[in-house]
Amino acid sequence: MKRVLLLLLSISIFTGCADEKSTPKETVAISAANYHDVLDKITNVMVHDIFSPPVASRIYSYANLAAYEIVAQHNPELESLTKTIGADITIPALDTTKAIDYKMAALIAQLEIGKTLIFSEVEITDYSDSLFVNWKENDEDVFINSKEYGMQVADAFKQWIDKDNYKQTRTMPKFSVYTENVSRWQPTPPAYMDGIEPHWMKIRPFTLDSSSQFKPERHPEFSMEKDSQFYKELMEVYEVRNQMEETGNKSEEMAIAKFWDCNPYVSTQRGHLMFATKKITPGGHWIGITKVASQKANLDFDKTVYAYTTTSMAIADAFISCWDEKYRSNLVRPETLINKFINDQWKPVLQTPPFPEYTSGHSVVSGASAEVLTKLFGDQFQFLDDTEVPYGLPEREYTSFRDAAKEAALSRLYGGIHYRAAIENGLDQGISLGKHVVTTLNVKTL
């Protein structure tokens, strides 16, 4: 009798273990939140590595587009954007005979492209490995297949990216400074850095026919005559700064200027010591706004990737368009003229970025981004922008993306680093470009 009971018990235990072992594990659930997290990681690494605004826009656009092309193959409602723009790239077909998690593959491609284009590769590698361990434990076959496909897409993108002329611009001459011409841009304090990315207009765009397609209206003719339009705009910068100083650091203008600073490398000098205060770029701020909008609209994974991708492509083209004009007009910054002719002790609220004045990069990028986001989310989309909270600044509320873009553009006057023409004409330049991106990519309302 005891032997029978022991035998039955052994069979029961064995059967129970067999049943438990044969039960398939639940695959990891990847959501829009995971995509936000990965893009945040890439942003944080870019801040650490101190990428210039144009270069940062290149990283965002390629990383997002690589992920999107995988999503588009799975979702019949989405079109291939590389095909839409006629890109010279062949996206490997999704093998439907294999168990592939397309979301996992998209994140893997995004991370791989991000790692390829930044400096601190180990940061992305460590982050990726932590994700991979979890995914592999949940379903090893799905992980292996998804990783294989994601890397195939990333490899195709690497070949295409390699042809965008970025590497060639690394070896082109630095920007020449002509000190005898007072109207031309000069390096500004405190670091007196060379003009950054003087050949950025040579980078391959996504939707533009050429870098000069949206060439803005000419800025007022340079003149230090007191009745000239140029001199009046110069004095406006000087007087606005003085008025802000009188009201103290708690004015609304001061808050706006600092909120939209977005200078990735602010040099601070303490005696013989100079160090950097790192921040996101203007494009990074609008990527942050895209995150805010996507979360408020409760977008799913596919739509989140779509929103980021179309917006980042607009940002990238905006920098190409803006930099084309900056180094064509090569206009001197307000700080240089005010210190030379009006008040040698005057300082702007914000540190003057190291490149020519016209047009305002914030204005062009904000105008373009706002047009794409307006198409995606609607004209009266209210949101609370918390993008700058990690950098010690409070949230700001906006009634629309265009409202935010106008404030971002005007912040450059309050910051003391741009004339009004660069702000207003730059915003028009960005709006025109943004509408072009919406039409070219056939951006859909989410």
Side-chain angles (χ1 to χ4, degrees):
M1 185 65 178
K2 288 182 179 179
R3 290 182 179 180
V4 174
L5 289 174
L6 287 172
L7 179 61
L8 290 174
L9 181 61
S10 299
I11 294 173
S12 175
I13 293 172
F14 177 79
T15 304
C17 292
D19 288 344
E20 183 179 347
K21 188 174 182 180
S22 64
T23 301
K25 293 182 180 180
E26 182 181 352
T27 56
V28 62
I30 296 176
S31 67
N34 299 110
Y35 198 86
H36 294 309
D37 289 345
V38 168
L39 201 53
D40 284 346
K41 182 62 179 181
I42 293 174
T43 294
N44 291 338
V45 173
M46 283 198 286
V47 169
H48 175 271
D49 287 348
I50 314 178
F51 282 101
S52 69
V55 178
S57 73
R58 177 176 179 263
I59 299 170
Y60 281 127
S61 55
Y62 283 135
N64 282 317
L65 186 55
Y68 173 82
E69 287 298 320
I70 293 176
V71 173
Q73 288 207 52
H74 178 267
N75 189 335
E77 295 182 1
L78 298 176
E79 302 171 356
S80 167
L81 293 178
T82 54
K83 288 183 180 179
T84 298
I85 62 176
D88 183 22
I89 179 175
T90 300
I91 307 298
L94 188 65
D95 188 349
T96 55
T97 65
K98 292 184 177 180
I100 294 177
D101 185 329
Y102 76 97
K103 296 178 183 178
M104 188 181 295
L107 290 178
I108 290 170
Q110 181 194 29
L111 284 164
E112 180 64 21
I113 295 302
K115 183 178 71 173
T116 301
L117 300 179
I118 51 89
F119 299 144
S120 300
E121 293 185 14
V122 66
E123 294 286 335
I124 298 295
T125 300
D126 290 346
Y127 179 75
S128 301
D129 288 347
S130 67
L131 294 176
F132 294 171
V133 168
N134 182 39
W135 293 345
K136 188 175 182 179
E137 286 179 350
N138 276 271
D139 194 316
E140 186 171 357
D141 289 339
V142 169
F143 167 71
I144 292 173
N145 293 337
S146 301
K147 184 179 181 182
E148 180 183 15
Y149 179 63
M151 294 300 289
Q152 288 175 359
V153 173
D155 287 342
F157 262 86
K158 289 177 188 178
Q159 295 180 37
W160 180 54
I161 291 169
D162 202 46
K163 302 173 186 175
D164 74 351
N165 214 32
Y166 177 78
K167 288 184 178 179
Q168 289 81 350
T169 61
R170 301 308 91 187
T171 61
M172 292 178 181
K174 290 184 177 181
F175 181 60
S176 299
V177 177
Y178 296 89
T179 55
E180 69 272 13
N181 188 339
V182 72
S183 71
R184 292 176 66 89
W185 177 81
Q186 302 293 319
T188 50
Y192 295 94
M193 295 172 63
D194 292 333
I196 65 167
E197 300 299 341
H199 305 287
W200 198 254
M201 72 291 294
K202 299 180 179 71
I203 299 296
R204 177 187 62 204
F206 289 103
T207 68
L208 303 177
D209 295 334
S210 71
S211 60
S212 61
Q213 183 175 353
F214 291 96
K215 181 180 177 181
E217 176 184 328
R218 173 86 175 161
H219 61 75
E221 192 67 29
F222 177 84
S223 172
M224 293 302 289
E225 295 294 327
K226 293 186 178 181
D227 61 347
S228 69
Q229 180 62 30
F230 182 87
Y231 187 80
K232 290 176 182 177
E233 291 195 9
L234 173 65
M235 289 305 297
E236 181 183 24
V237 177
Y238 179 68
E239 291 165 359
V240 165
R241 173 67 180 102
N242 292 344
Q243 291 167 6
M244 290 171 62
E245 192 168 354
E246 290 175 5
T247 57
N249 293 330
K250 295 183 179 180
S251 68
E252 178 68 358
E253 291 82 3
M254 184 70 74
I256 291 171
K258 291 185 175 181
F259 186 77
W260 292 99
D261 183 10
C262 304
N263 187 341
Y265 189 98
V266 175
S267 300
T268 302
Q269 192 165 2
R270 296 286 186 271
H272 296 291
L273 176 67
M274 181 174 285
F275 57 92
T277 302
K278 301 176 183 180
K279 300 178 183 178
I280 55 172
T281 62
H285 192 133
W286 282 97
I287 289 294
I289 290 176
T290 306
K291 175 183 178 180
V292 170
S294 299
Q295 289 178 323
K296 180 178 179 182
N298 198 27
L299 298 187
D300 62 17
F301 185 91
D302 293 12
K303 290 180 178 179
T304 294
V305 179
Y306 182 68
Y308 275 126
T309 304
T310 50
T311 303
S312 62
M313 291 171 75
I315 291 170
D317 278 358
F319 273 111
I320 292 172
S321 177
C322 181
W323 253 242
D324 177 69
E325 180 57 38
K326 278 186 178 294
Y327 285 95
R328 176 175 36 249
S329 57
N330 190 18
L331 188 61
V332 64
R333 288 278 185 171
E335 182 175 15
T336 303
L337 293 179
I338 292 172
N339 287 166
K340 184 177 181 64
F341 295 105
I342 302 171
N343 181 350
D344 62 3
Q345 299 301 309
W346 185 91
K347 292 182 179 180
V349 170
L350 304 180
Q351 192 170 115
T352 302
F355 36 81
E357 191 273 343
Y358 191 81
T359 48
S360 158
H362 268 62
S363 301
V364 180
V365 170
S366 297
S369 300
E371 289 305 306
V372 174
L373 289 168
T374 296
K375 179 63 178 179
L376 289 168
F377 295 98
D379 187 35
Q380 298 301 319
F381 190 94
Q382 298 184 6
F383 63 96
L384 195 64
D385 185 0
D386 62 358
T387 306
E388 298 291 334
V389 169
Y391 306 97
L393 296 171
E395 303 166 329
R396 289 187 67 82
E397 190 170 4
Y398 299 98
T399 59
S400 69
F401 301 110
R402 288 170 177 151
D403 173 40
K406 289 177 182 177
E407 183 181 280
L410 191 58
S411 73
R412 315 318 272 168
L413 174 63
Y414 298 151
I417 59 178
H418 276 295
Y419 312 111
R420 186 170 289 277
I423 293 165
E424 295 180 350
N425 294 346
L427 188 60
D428 289 341
Q429 180 183 359
I431 290 171
S432 297
L433 188 150
K435 290 179 178 178
H436 166 78
V437 171
V438 167
T439 301
T440 303
L441 299 182
N442 189 26
V443 177
K444 299 175 176 60
T445 300
L446 298 176

